[in-house]
Every structure is written in structure tokens, then in C-alpha cells.
Amino acid sequence: MEIKIKYHDGMEEWPIEKISKGDWIDLRAAEDVTLVKFQSAMISLGVSMELPSGYHAQLAPRSSTFKNFGIIMANSIGIIDNSYCGDNDIWHFPAIAMKNGVIHKGDRIAQFRIVKNSEPVTFTAVETLGNADRGGIGSTGTR
């Protein structure tokens, strides 16, 4: 599978590469950002990509992003469709600062993986599903 990448803001200095461990690929901040507690920002990741037809990208924080930078991803996970593929369709990390902090250009803050799209589905309205109820949210307990 080949993915075309356009780098922005000097990010070709840190070319995207598959790491030797795991299935996710790291992305870096393409700008210096100073945040104060509870401030939000769309942090540029400095790349645009053309994903193959039938695939999308799942974008998430790295496991160490909160520990290292005190930020969380505003929407928990991002989905980037393959139609978001223009030269100026730059990927971003929607961040919320949980404490004051600084992110420097080149810091690894996000990760992504390429996922095959679901098969087409249809939805059919019914009067009953015909299954036993599970018991609602949290019905299996906490321990």
C-alpha cells in the first residue's frame, strides 16, 4: 500500500515512518504551542495525505501524550476519510490542556493507523429485535 504525503511547515525534517513496534505510526506537532489549563487548540501535524480508496485513518493521542504534555484529544479519536486528500487538507490534533504546558515543533503527540472501511450496510426499522435485554449501561458492575 502506498500513501502519498505532502509535508508542510518544514515537517519533511521528520519524515513519517512505520515504527518497529506496534501497528500505529507517530505524528509530530508542526508548530510550537503554549497552552494554559483548559485552553484548546488545533495543533497542526504538518502533513496532508492521500489515503487509498476504501481506507481511512484513525488518529489518536500517543499513550504518553498526556503524561508528557498535559493535553488530551478533544474528540477522543479522529477519523480522516480518504476524501480529505487535498494539498491543504492538513491533519490537526484537537487538544485540550489539562495543565499549563508547551509543545515544541517536532514533539510526537499523536499516532494513526490505516483501516479498511466497513462494508456497505443498510438499516431496517423493526418493532422488536427479538433478543433478551442485557440490563443497561453499567449492568456488568465495576469489579
Side-chain angles (χ1 to χ4, degrees):
M1 176 182 312
E2 179 185 35
I3 298 172
K4 295 179 186 174
I5 300 174
K6 179 177 178 176
Y7 292 99
H8 302 269
D9 303 316
M11 291 306 291
E12 59 276 351
E13 180 179 342
W14 297 282
I16 293 177
E17 298 175 335
K18 174 81 174 72
I19 59 173
S20 61
K21 295 181 181 178
D23 295 325
W24 293 69
I25 302 158
D26 289 344
L27 292 168
R28 299 170 185 267
E31 58 188 332
D32 291 333
V33 179
T34 300
L35 294 169
V36 296
K37 188 174 184 178
F38 301 134
Q39 182 181 4
S40 63
M42 291 294 287
I43 302 171
S44 174
L45 298 171
V47 293
S48 300
M49 295 188 208
E50 182 182 329
L51 302 175
S53 179
Y55 290 83
H56 66 277
Q58 292 179 345
L59 177 70
R62 294 181 72 234
S63 59
S64 61
T65 297
F66 178 75
K67 176 183 72 125
N68 292 337
F69 306 105
I71 60 173
I72 58 174
M73 191 171 186
N75 53 345
S76 301
I77 190 168
I79 303 298
I80 302 169
D81 294 321
N82 71 333
S83 62
Y84 192 72
C85 61
D87 283 344
N88 295 305
D89 289 336
I90 301 170
W91 293 19
H92 285 79
F93 182 96
I96 299 174
M98 302 309 292
K99 63 181 182 180
N100 297 346
V102 176
I103 298 139
H104 297 286
K105 182 176 183 173
D107 286 343
R108 294 182 298 155
I109 61 170
Q111 59 186 340
F112 75 101
R113 67 178 175 172
I114 306 301
V115 179
K116 188 171 181 157
N117 293 344
S118 298
E119 296 295 322
V121 298
T122 58
F123 296 94
T124 304
V126 296
E127 293 295 322
T128 180
L129 297 174
N131 304 311
D133 292 335
R134 183 170 157 183
I137 296 172
S139 62
T140 60
T142 57
R143 294 190 180 254

